[in-house]
Amino acid sequence: MLQNNPELRGKIEQLWNKFWSGGISNPLTAIEQITYLLFMKRLDEFDLKRQADAEFTGEPYRSKFVGSWIPPEYRARREETDSDADWARKLEDEKRYAIDRRRLRWSEFKRMQAEEMLQHVQSRVFPFLKDLNGAESNFTHHMKNAVFIIPKPMLLVEAVKTIDEIFEVMERDSRINGQAFQDIQGDVYEMLLSEIATAGKNGQFRTPRHIIKLMADLVQPQLGHKIADPACGSGGFLLGAYQYIVTQLAIRAGSKNLVPDEDGFVRTSVAASLTASAQKTLQESLYGYDIDATMVRLGLMNLMMHGIDEPHVDYQDTLSKGYTEEAAYDIVMANPPFTGSIDKGDINENLQLATTKTELLFVENIYRLLKKGGTACVIVPQGVLFGSGSAFKSLRQLLVERCDLKAVITLPSGVFKPYAGVSTAILLFTKVYGAKDKVDRPATEHVWFYEMQADGYSLDDKRSKQEGYGDLQDIVAKYHARHAATDTERTAQYFMVPRSEIGAEGYDLSLSRYKEDVFEEMQYDAPGVILDRLIRAEVGDVDEIELAKVQSGIVRELLELRGMIG
């Protein structure tokens, strides 16, 4: 993690400061512009690596920087009225605007003079980036309104130089520490995203990567599962599911060099060992939606930088009438916005809860999105577990009766610092009955509760890495080994509660409702002994005759008190 790499942190802060002093002071605008540059750099590096891999394995690969590229506005289009001569003239005109793709590489344009570089990146490289996956692609569609607004040639030169230095440090770290380059890149991107001052607005704040890894280990997504995040932000959960699946496939293929990361999770982003068929299946498995167009672009680029060529990330309000998907996904992983509310007239009529609170509607919507037998792992504010309103109770009843509510894991309130100190919990449930199905027998038998006390990081604003893994690995191990017959000790950190008891408590899912406190018996000295100790502390070793001569002050009062208790 970057906490342990001051050099990398310093370089990233340097990059922020350059943008700030260069006139781009809005953090969200700065992160978007930096992401475009990171994407250009990564595209070049990734393309060179794919070429080298293809040469080594003998597989075909066509570089994105081979041949010529014609900007969309200059591409010849043959009309019905065009003669052959007209068409030939159009093709000749098109050739005039053709750009050698090799000149669009980061490694080529970074050597240009400042003025030329800015003009080249603005007018050629950035339009090429927007058109990268062809006119019909999702990426091109969402990049349509993206603008490159670095205003000064020297800011671009300095940013390019600093990004090159950041990549050098990342590559050195990867060699020395054996951490996958893409994971280090993920850390860098996380730190950049953490600078967005608007994080926390409308209850939106990023989920720490180690919490995403925890949730992936709990759900265990498999190749072929259709996976969604209905409020995906920069795509962290989709990436977490992707990395989990890739890691499991690498382990099954015999990878021996995988070691636990600083949080105790074994992960690799390297999908090169996947067959073309597995890679295609995985590409088609991940779906994300967000209502912020900037976050959709960031999410698309984040996933593409990790080797997912054509991510399904779309601009969509998944609570609205316009979103009609239902019973479509095997896995949903999400940290939907808290503390917001939606206009009543916009709410999808398939959502039955009588509320405008987004933290409740999102959980109901996630239930709706799951196929029968599909599993969700969702972060909610702890108020959802015990809120007394009818919508709160209805949602909890739905989770207990129409789903198999497997686990409620409470998180310490510092997990989302510095954005928020809100107390949260992870809900893990499998859909058993559809919304219109008759419930013959409630689906949940027992709910497993775990009280996370530490996540391996300090719970203050700094979130510094601590020794060990906190409770992360214990949660994974204990959850997968849970058993109603043995997890009965209510004074422990984890235990199981039968559905009947939860129903009797009005479907309250707060851990404190069922946990029993342990009262330790304390042994205290007799009052007389304590008073003697206090008197000696005041006057030292003095005999009783001398003490009797004391006429006033605290010693006199202590002596009188001792006399009263005799």
Side-chain angles (χ1 to χ4, degrees):
M1 286 293 279
L2 291 180
Q3 285 92 332
N4 306 322
N5 195 326
E7 185 183 4
L8 211 43
R9 282 188 75 91
K11 294 282 182 201
I12 292 163
E13 279 162 16
Q14 208 179 339
L15 188 59
W16 272 113
N17 293 337
K18 283 180 170 42
F19 272 78
W20 183 269
S21 57
I24 301 180
S25 55
N26 180 321
L28 199 52
T29 306
I31 181 72
E32 196 166 11
Q33 299 303 307
I34 290 169
T35 300
Y36 297 149
L37 293 175
L38 280 172
F39 193 67
M40 292 171 196
K41 167 76 174 172
R42 186 72 186 121
L43 192 64
D44 187 11
E45 302 243 326
F46 201 61
D47 187 81
L48 290 169
K49 185 180 183 310
R50 293 274 283 270
Q51 274 183 282
D53 286 348
E55 283 170 24
F56 182 72
T57 60
E59 292 176 12
Y61 174 71
R62 181 172 171 79
S63 166
K64 294 187 189 303
F65 296 101
V66 165
S68 58
W69 175 73
I70 297 141
E73 63 270 28
Y74 298 122
R75 286 173 198 161
R77 289 175 183 81
R78 187 161 191 169
E79 308 293 337
E80 286 181 21
T81 54
D82 284 347
S83 65
D84 287 348
D86 291 335
W87 178 236
R89 196 164 46 252
K90 280 186 176 181
L91 290 174
E92 278 303 311
D93 287 346
E94 186 184 72
K95 276 183 197 168
R96 282 212 319 271
Y97 295 104
I99 298 163
D100 180 357
R101 284 172 178 255
R102 192 171 51 82
R103 294 195 71 230
L104 303 173
R105 281 191 183 277
W106 174 282
S107 47
E108 291 286 324
F109 72 69
K110 75 175 187 180
R111 291 196 280 268
M112 294 176 177
Q113 295 299 311
E115 294 281 354
E116 184 192 1
M117 188 197 291
L118 182 60
Q119 201 274 330
H120 181 70
V121 171
Q122 273 177 340
S123 63
R124 296 188 181 94
V125 180
F126 191 65
F128 167 70
L129 192 72
K130 291 170 72 167
D131 185 52
L132 192 62
N133 287 358
E136 301 306 311
S137 87
N138 192 35
F139 177 71
T140 303
H141 170 70
H142 288 297
M143 289 295 285
K144 198 179 295 176
N145 298 322
V147 287
F148 188 77
I149 56 166
I150 292 179
K152 299 173 186 170
M154 280 316 295
L155 173 57
L156 179 59
V157 170
E158 288 293 316
V160 165
K161 180 169 172 281
T162 308
I163 286 170
D164 267 341
E165 289 169 359
I166 286 169
F167 269 70
E168 276 174 31
V169 177
M170 287 197 292
E171 277 160 7
R172 191 174 69 233
D173 257 31
S174 180
R175 283 195 308 273
I176 294 169
N177 299 326
Q179 192 182 356
F181 179 84
Q182 284 179 334
D183 291 342
I184 301 170
Q185 180 182 277
D187 289 344
V188 168
Y189 200 69
E190 282 292 305
M191 185 180 172
L192 286 166
L193 289 173
S194 74
E195 295 291 334
I196 299 176
T198 52
K201 182 181 171 190
N202 296 330
Q204 299 171 37
F205 32 83
R206 289 167 31 266
T207 313
R209 283 171 68 240
H210 61 283
I211 299 296
I212 291 174
K213 289 175 189 170
L214 167 68
M215 290 166 70
D217 268 38
L218 293 172
V219 176
Q220 297 181 329
Q222 304 295 311
L223 183 67
H225 278 160
K226 197 174 175 188
I227 300 162
D229 180 349
C232 69
S234 60
F237 279 105
L238 298 177
L239 193 55
Y242 174 80
Q243 288 175 332
Y244 179 87
I245 294 168
V246 167
T247 304
Q248 294 308 307
L249 291 172
I251 290 168
R252 275 178 223 150
S255 287
K256 299 278 192 274
N257 307 330
L258 302 178
V259 293
D261 62 17
E262 68 276 13
D263 302 307
F265 297 103
V266 175
R267 288 292 186 276
T268 178
S269 303
V270 183
S273 60
L274 297 188
T275 63
S277 167
Q279 183 68 7
K280 186 172 187 300
T281 301
L282 199 42
Q283 299 261 6
E284 290 297 316
S285 298
L286 306 167
Y287 293 80
Y289 306 96
D290 204 276
I291 58 170
D292 185 318
T294 301
M295 295 312 289
V296 168
R297 287 197 288 271
L298 294 181
L300 281 163
M301 285 187 281
N302 190 15
L303 294 173
M304 288 172 80
M305 278 195 279
H306 284 83
I308 302 166
D309 291 335
E310 184 61 62
H312 302 285
V313 176
D314 272 311
Y315 176 81
Q316 183 73 259
D317 180 353
T318 52
L319 296 180
S320 72
K321 288 185 165 80
Y323 183 70
T324 56
E325 278 200 300
E326 196 161 340
Y329 298 100
D330 300 288
I331 303 281
V332 176
M333 293 170 65
N335 178 10
F338 305 162
T339 67
S341 61
I342 184 172
D343 190 302
K344 204 167 187 175
D346 292 339
I347 298 172
N348 190 309
E349 51 267 14
N350 289 313
L351 297 174
Q352 301 297 305
L353 291 179
T355 184
T356 57
K357 289 180 178 295
T358 57
E359 66 266 35
L360 301 180
L361 291 170
F362 263 111
V363 179
E364 185 191 0
N365 200 35
I366 286 165
Y367 157 77
R368 191 171 68 95
L369 290 176
L370 286 172
K371 296 175 183 176
K372 284 185 189 175
T375 297
C377 200
V378 189
I379 296 174
V380 296
Q382 282 195 28
V384 170
L385 306 180
F386 56 79
S388 58
S390 62
F392 285 89
K393 286 184 179 175
S394 297
L395 177 66
R396 295 194 300 265
Q397 186 171 353
L398 178 147
L399 292 175
V400 170
E401 295 194 348
R402 292 188 174 271
C403 302
D404 179 4
L405 179 59
K406 296 174 183 293
V408 175
I409 300 163
T410 60
L411 308 181
S413 60
V415 164
F416 287 101
K417 284 188 174 178
Y419 314 112
V422 63
S423 292
T424 56
I426 295 170
L427 296 178
L428 187 56
F429 57 91
T430 295
K431 181 174 179 175
V432 176
Y433 295 99
K436 293 175 182 169
D437 293 345
K438 183 173 181 288
V439 177
D440 300 317
R441 174 187 172 84
T444 302
E445 290 292 336
H446 291 83
V447 178
W448 187 75
F449 287 86
Y450 191 107
E451 183 176 18
M452 182 199 284
Q453 291 163 355
D455 68 343
Y457 295 81
S458 64
L459 295 170
D460 54 16
D461 284 358
K462 289 185 178 172
R463 297 289 278 137
S464 309
K465 183 74 187 91
Q466 307 288 287
E467 190 81 31
Y469 308 139
D471 295 326
L472 298 174
Q473 297 308 315
D474 188 57
I475 290 170
V476 174
K478 298 292 193 309
Y479 170 74
H480 290 301
R482 71 195 187 287
H483 199 285
T486 53
D487 292 357
T488 56
E489 182 50 68
R490 296 287 179 92
T491 58
Q493 199 172 356
Y494 60 92
F495 49 83
M496 292 189 88
V497 178
R499 181 198 68 244
S500 56
E501 190 176 343
I502 290 168
E505 292 288 354
Y507 298 96
D508 192 316
L509 295 174
S510 51
L511 180 139
S512 57
R513 171 72 68 179
Y514 307 102
K515 189 173 174 68
E516 292 173 9
D517 292 320
V518 181
F519 296 103
E520 276 187 52
E521 191 178 335
M522 300 293 290
Q523 297 291 332
Y524 295 102
D525 291 328
V529 174
I530 294 169
L531 286 167
D532 277 340
R533 197 178 300 133
L534 290 171
I535 292 165
R536 299 279 172 248
E538 289 292 329
V539 297
D541 256 342
V542 176
D543 60 30
E544 290 295 326
I545 297 165
E546 288 299 314
L547 279 176
K549 294 176 183 174
V550 176
Q551 297 298 314
S552 63
I554 191 168
V555 175
R556 182 74 262 156
E557 290 172 12
L558 289 170
L559 287 167
E560 286 171 3
L561 194 55
R562 190 178 67 176
M564 287 165 63
I565 63 170

